[in-house]
PDB file of all heavy atoms in Angstrom:
ATOM      1  N   TYR E 185       6.570  17.814   3.420  1.00 96.00           N
ATOM      2  CA  TYR E 185       6.365  18.942   4.304  1.00 96.00           C
ATOM      3  C   TYR E 185       6.379  18.596   5.778  1.00 96.00           C
ATOM      4  O   TYR E 185       6.011  17.322   5.981  1.00 96.00           O
ATOM      5  CB  TYR E 185       4.929  19.540   4.067  1.00 96.00           C
ATOM      6  CG  TYR E 185       4.693  19.831   2.614  1.00 96.00           C
ATOM      7  CD1 TYR E 185       4.201  18.786   1.746  1.00 96.00           C
ATOM      8  CD2 TYR E 185       4.841  21.157   2.057  1.00 96.00           C
ATOM      9  CE1 TYR E 185       3.889  19.180   0.365  1.00 96.00           C
ATOM     10  CE2 TYR E 185       4.538  21.458   0.715  1.00 96.00           C
ATOM     11  CZ  TYR E 185       4.156  20.441  -0.049  1.00 96.00           C
ATOM     12  OH  TYR E 185       3.801  20.612  -1.400  1.00 96.00           O
ATOM     13  N   TRP E 186       6.713  19.496   6.673  1.00 97.00           N
ATOM     14  CA  TRP E 186       6.541  19.178   8.035  1.00 97.00           C
ATOM     15  C   TRP E 186       5.622  20.275   8.603  1.00 97.00           C
ATOM     16  O   TRP E 186       5.977  21.476   8.360  1.00 97.00           O
ATOM     17  CB  TRP E 186       7.822  19.213   8.794  1.00 97.00           C
ATOM     18  CG  TRP E 186       8.473  17.876   8.911  1.00 97.00           C
ATOM     19  CD1 TRP E 186       9.631  17.519   8.043  1.00 97.00           C
ATOM     20  CD2 TRP E 186       8.228  16.754   9.554  1.00 97.00           C
ATOM     21  NE1 TRP E 186       9.957  16.244   8.344  1.00 97.00           N
ATOM     22  CE2 TRP E 186       9.061  15.744   9.275  1.00 97.00           C
ATOM     23  CE3 TRP E 186       7.148  16.468  10.600  1.00 97.00           C
ATOM     24  CZ2 TRP E 186       8.998  14.480   9.931  1.00 97.00           C
ATOM     25  CZ3 TRP E 186       7.115  15.271  11.076  1.00 97.00           C
ATOM     26  CH2 TRP E 186       8.052  14.251  10.825  1.00 97.00           C
ATOM     27  N   TYR E 187       4.610  19.816   9.530  1.00 97.00           N
ATOM     28  CA  TYR E 187       3.735  20.848  10.173  1.00 97.00           C
ATOM     29  C   TYR E 187       3.781  20.586  11.645  1.00 97.00           C
ATOM     30  O   TYR E 187       3.966  19.395  12.071  1.00 97.00           O
ATOM     31  CB  TYR E 187       2.360  20.615   9.605  1.00 97.00           C
ATOM     32  CG  TYR E 187       2.065  21.097   8.250  1.00 97.00           C
ATOM     33  CD1 TYR E 187       2.226  20.107   7.095  1.00 97.00           C
ATOM     34  CD2 TYR E 187       1.611  22.460   7.882  1.00 97.00           C
ATOM     35  CE1 TYR E 187       2.004  20.527   5.878  1.00 97.00           C
ATOM     36  CE2 TYR E 187       1.363  22.759   6.617  1.00 97.00           C
ATOM     37  CZ  TYR E 187       1.526  21.791   5.619  1.00 97.00           C
ATOM     38  OH  TYR E 187       1.181  22.236   4.287  1.00 97.00           O
ATOM     39  N   ARG E 188       3.618  21.590  12.350  1.00 97.00           N
ATOM     40  CA  ARG E 188       3.346  21.534  13.799  1.00 97.00           C
ATOM     41  C   ARG E 188       1.886  21.863  14.092  1.00 97.00           C
ATOM     42  O   ARG E 188       1.331  22.840  13.547  1.00 97.00           O
ATOM     43  CB  ARG E 188       4.356  22.475  14.495  1.00 97.00           C
ATOM     44  CG  ARG E 188       4.042  22.633  16.044  1.00 97.00           C
ATOM     45  CD  ARG E 188       5.010  23.613  16.647  1.00 97.00           C
ATOM     46  NE  ARG E 188       4.537  23.834  18.042  1.00 97.00           N
ATOM     47  CZ  ARG E 188       5.416  23.874  19.043  1.00 97.00           C
ATOM     48  NH1 ARG E 188       6.781  23.811  18.905  1.00 97.00           N
ATOM     49  NH2 ARG E 188       4.950  24.068  20.234  1.00 97.00           N
ATOM     50  N   GLN E 189       1.292  21.022  14.987  1.00 96.00           N
ATOM     51  CA  GLN E 189      -0.131  21.214  15.442  1.00 96.00           C
ATOM     52  C   GLN E 189      -0.077  21.326  16.943  1.00 96.00           C
ATOM     53  O   GLN E 189       0.315  20.522  17.751  1.00 96.00           O
ATOM     54  CB  GLN E 189      -0.981  20.008  14.944  1.00 96.00           C
ATOM     55  CG  GLN E 189      -2.482  20.204  15.349  1.00 96.00           C
ATOM     56  CD  GLN E 189      -3.279  19.201  14.874  1.00 96.00           C
ATOM     57  OE1 GLN E 189      -2.936  18.032  14.596  1.00 96.00           O
ATOM     58  NE2 GLN E 189      -4.627  19.521  14.807  1.00 96.00           N
ATOM     59  N   ASP E 190      -0.634  22.490  17.414  1.00 94.00           N
ATOM     60  CA  ASP E 190      -0.936  22.812  18.872  1.00 94.00           C
ATOM     61  C   ASP E 190      -2.422  22.968  19.050  1.00 94.00           C
ATOM     62  O   ASP E 190      -3.147  23.381  18.158  1.00 94.00           O
ATOM     63  CB  ASP E 190      -0.182  24.006  19.315  1.00 94.00           C
ATOM     64  CG  ASP E 190       1.256  23.824  19.112  1.00 94.00           C
ATOM     65  OD1 ASP E 190       1.930  23.273  20.057  1.00 94.00           O
ATOM     66  OD2 ASP E 190       1.905  24.533  18.167  1.00 94.00           O
ATOM     67  N   PRO E 191      -2.881  22.554  20.129  1.00 88.00           N
ATOM     68  CA  PRO E 191      -4.365  22.653  20.411  1.00 88.00           C
ATOM     69  C   PRO E 191      -4.923  24.010  20.093  1.00 88.00           C
ATOM     70  O   PRO E 191      -4.401  25.132  20.576  1.00 88.00           O
ATOM     71  CB  PRO E 191      -4.487  22.330  21.945  1.00 88.00           C
ATOM     72  CG  PRO E 191      -3.288  21.429  22.219  1.00 88.00           C
ATOM     73  CD  PRO E 191      -2.164  22.032  21.410  1.00 88.00           C
ATOM     74  N   GLY E 192      -5.961  24.151  19.381  1.00 85.00           N
ATOM     75  CA  GLY E 192      -6.540  25.388  18.980  1.00 85.00           C
ATOM     76  C   GLY E 192      -5.772  26.234  17.938  1.00 85.00           C
ATOM     77  O   GLY E 192      -6.219  27.391  17.788  1.00 85.00           O
ATOM     78  N   GLN E 193      -4.671  25.782  17.386  1.00 87.00           N
ATOM     79  CA  GLN E 193      -3.834  26.641  16.574  1.00 87.00           C
ATOM     80  C   GLN E 193      -3.803  26.097  15.165  1.00 87.00           C
ATOM     81  O   GLN E 193      -3.190  26.660  14.312  1.00 87.00           O
ATOM     82  CB  GLN E 193      -2.383  26.573  17.161  1.00 87.00           C
ATOM     83  CG  GLN E 193      -2.179  27.277  18.522  1.00 87.00           C
ATOM     84  CD  GLN E 193      -2.684  28.822  18.377  1.00 87.00           C
ATOM     85  OE1 GLN E 193      -2.288  29.486  17.508  1.00 87.00           O
ATOM     86  NE2 GLN E 193      -3.411  29.137  19.420  1.00 87.00           N
ATOM     87  N   GLY E 194      -4.483  25.042  14.809  1.00 90.00           N
ATOM     88  CA  GLY E 194      -4.339  24.544  13.422  1.00 90.00           C
ATOM     89  C   GLY E 194      -3.063  24.031  13.185  1.00 90.00           C
ATOM     90  O   GLY E 194      -2.294  23.567  14.051  1.00 90.00           O
ATOM     91  N   LEU E 195      -2.661  23.940  11.927  1.00 94.00           N
ATOM     92  CA  LEU E 195      -1.304  23.479  11.526  1.00 94.00           C
ATOM     93  C   LEU E 195      -0.508  24.538  11.053  1.00 94.00           C
ATOM     94  O   LEU E 195      -0.951  25.427  10.277  1.00 94.00           O
ATOM     95  CB  LEU E 195      -1.524  22.433  10.395  1.00 94.00           C
ATOM     96  CG  LEU E 195      -1.931  20.908  10.784  1.00 94.00           C
ATOM     97  CD1 LEU E 195      -3.351  20.938  11.212  1.00 94.00           C
ATOM     98  CD2 LEU E 195      -1.592  20.115   9.658  1.00 94.00           C
ATOM     99  N   ARG E 196       0.683  24.601  11.290  1.00 94.00           N
ATOM    100  CA  ARG E 196       1.662  25.635  10.974  1.00 94.00           C
ATOM    101  C   ARG E 196       2.885  24.890  10.282  1.00 94.00           C
ATOM    102  O   ARG E 196       3.402  23.954  10.862  1.00 94.00           O
ATOM    103  CB  ARG E 196       2.109  26.436  12.007  1.00 94.00           C
ATOM    104  CG  ARG E 196       1.021  27.350  12.684  1.00 94.00           C
ATOM    105  CD  ARG E 196       1.455  28.149  13.923  1.00 94.00           C
ATOM    106  NE  ARG E 196       1.760  27.261  15.078  1.00 94.00           N
ATOM    107  CZ  ARG E 196       2.383  27.773  16.219  1.00 94.00           C
ATOM    108  NH1 ARG E 196       2.890  28.959  16.245  1.00 94.00           N
ATOM    109  NH2 ARG E 196       2.557  26.891  17.161  1.00 94.00           N
ATOM    110  N   LEU E 197       3.295  25.525   9.161  1.00 94.00           N
ATOM    111  CA  LEU E 197       4.299  24.907   8.242  1.00 94.00           C
ATOM    112  C   LEU E 197       5.706  25.201   8.944  1.00 94.00           C
ATOM    113  O   LEU E 197       6.075  26.281   9.128  1.00 94.00           O
ATOM    114  CB  LEU E 197       4.275  25.541   6.914  1.00 94.00           C
ATOM    115  CG  LEU E 197       5.192  25.042   5.846  1.00 94.00           C
ATOM    116  CD1 LEU E 197       4.889  23.475   5.631  1.00 94.00           C
ATOM    117  CD2 LEU E 197       5.049  25.781   4.563  1.00 94.00           C
ATOM    118  N   ILE E 198       6.531  24.146   9.047  1.00 97.00           N
ATOM    119  CA  ILE E 198       7.816  24.284   9.630  1.00 97.00           C
ATOM    120  C   ILE E 198       8.929  24.317   8.566  1.00 97.00           C
ATOM    121  O   ILE E 198       9.617  25.405   8.432  1.00 97.00           O
ATOM    122  CB  ILE E 198       8.191  23.058  10.457  1.00 97.00           C
ATOM    123  CG1 ILE E 198       7.093  22.990  11.638  1.00 97.00           C
ATOM    124  CG2 ILE E 198       9.591  23.220  11.159  1.00 97.00           C
ATOM    125  CD1 ILE E 198       7.322  21.622  12.449  1.00 97.00           C
ATOM    126  N   TYR E 199       8.942  23.303   7.650  1.00 97.00           N
ATOM    127  CA  TYR E 199       9.805  23.257   6.484  1.00 97.00           C
ATOM    128  C   TYR E 199       9.136  22.487   5.332  1.00 97.00           C
ATOM    129  O   TYR E 199       8.301  21.751   5.653  1.00 97.00           O
ATOM    130  CB  TYR E 199      11.122  22.443   6.870  1.00 97.00           C
ATOM    131  CG  TYR E 199      12.211  23.308   7.391  1.00 97.00           C
ATOM    132  CD1 TYR E 199      12.467  23.411   8.795  1.00 97.00           C
ATOM    133  CD2 TYR E 199      13.125  24.008   6.564  1.00 97.00           C
ATOM    134  CE1 TYR E 199      13.640  24.143   9.245  1.00 97.00           C
ATOM    135  CE2 TYR E 199      14.226  24.741   6.859  1.00 97.00           C
ATOM    136  CZ  TYR E 199      14.428  24.802   8.298  1.00 97.00           C
ATOM    137  OH  TYR E 199      15.519  25.437   8.768  1.00 97.00           O
ATOM    138  N   TYR E 200       9.651  22.679   4.159  1.00 95.00           N
ATOM    139  CA  TYR E 200       9.134  21.973   3.101  1.00 95.00           C
ATOM    140  C   TYR E 200      10.357  21.789   2.028  1.00 95.00           C
ATOM    141  O   TYR E 200      11.220  22.595   1.919  1.00 95.00           O
ATOM    142  CB  TYR E 200       7.947  22.561   2.456  1.00 95.00           C
ATOM    143  CG  TYR E 200       8.068  23.896   1.757  1.00 95.00           C
ATOM    144  CD1 TYR E 200       8.243  24.080   0.381  1.00 95.00           C
ATOM    145  CD2 TYR E 200       8.041  25.068   2.451  1.00 95.00           C
ATOM    146  CE1 TYR E 200       8.431  25.352  -0.193  1.00 95.00           C
ATOM    147  CE2 TYR E 200       8.163  26.447   1.858  1.00 95.00           C
ATOM    148  CZ  TYR E 200       8.300  26.458   0.527  1.00 95.00           C
ATOM    149  OH  TYR E 200       8.476  27.603  -0.115  1.00 95.00           O
ATOM    150  N   SER E 201      10.187  20.741   1.279  1.00 96.00           N
ATOM    151  CA  SER E 201      11.184  20.301   0.191  1.00 96.00           C
ATOM    152  C   SER E 201      10.477  20.024  -1.129  1.00 96.00           C
ATOM    153  O   SER E 201       9.517  19.214  -1.092  1.00 96.00           O
ATOM    154  CB  SER E 201      12.109  19.310   0.753  1.00 96.00           C
ATOM    155  OG  SER E 201      12.860  18.749  -0.228  1.00 96.00           O
ATOM    156  N   GLN E 202      10.933  20.577  -2.164  1.00 94.00           N
ATOM    157  CA  GLN E 202      10.403  20.308  -3.484  1.00 94.00           C
ATOM    158  C   GLN E 202      11.260  19.280  -4.274  1.00 94.00           C
ATOM    159  O   GLN E 202      10.860  18.757  -5.263  1.00 94.00           O
ATOM    160  CB  GLN E 202      10.033  21.540  -4.304  1.00 94.00           C
ATOM    161  CG  GLN E 202       9.012  22.411  -3.559  1.00 94.00           C
ATOM    162  CD  GLN E 202       8.758  23.574  -4.354  1.00 94.00           C
ATOM    163  OE1 GLN E 202       9.475  23.939  -5.174  1.00 94.00           O
ATOM    164  NE2 GLN E 202       7.863  24.445  -3.725  1.00 94.00           N
ATOM    165  N   ILE E 203      12.465  19.164  -3.758  1.00 94.00           N
ATOM    166  CA  ILE E 203      13.381  18.230  -4.553  1.00 94.00           C
ATOM    167  C   ILE E 203      14.583  17.820  -3.597  1.00 94.00           C
ATOM    168  O   ILE E 203      14.817  18.480  -2.586  1.00 94.00           O
ATOM    169  CB  ILE E 203      13.992  19.007  -5.702  1.00 94.00           C
ATOM    170  CG1 ILE E 203      14.746  18.196  -6.720  1.00 94.00           C
ATOM    171  CG2 ILE E 203      14.857  20.238  -5.219  1.00 94.00           C
ATOM    172  CD1 ILE E 203      15.110  18.917  -7.974  1.00 94.00           C
ATOM    173  N   VAL E 204      15.140  16.797  -3.922  1.00 96.00           N
ATOM    174  CA  VAL E 204      16.157  16.108  -3.075  1.00 96.00           C
ATOM    175  C   VAL E 204      17.313  17.257  -2.985  1.00 96.00           C
ATOM    176  O   VAL E 204      17.614  17.970  -3.903  1.00 96.00           O
ATOM    177  CB  VAL E 204      16.718  14.867  -3.690  1.00 96.00           C
ATOM    178  CG1 VAL E 204      17.997  14.416  -2.981  1.00 96.00           C
ATOM    179  CG2 VAL E 204      15.749  13.787  -3.794  1.00 96.00           C
TER     180      VAL E 204
END
Side-chain angles (χ1 to χ4, degrees):
Chain E
Y185 311 82
W186 276 105
Y187 292 90
R188 170 179 171 141
Q189 184 178 18
D190 297 282
Q193 293 299 313
L195 280 73
R196 293 178 290 169
L197 183 65
I198 304 173
Y199 268 99
Y200 65 99
S201 169
Q202 298 178 355
I203 194 171
V204 172

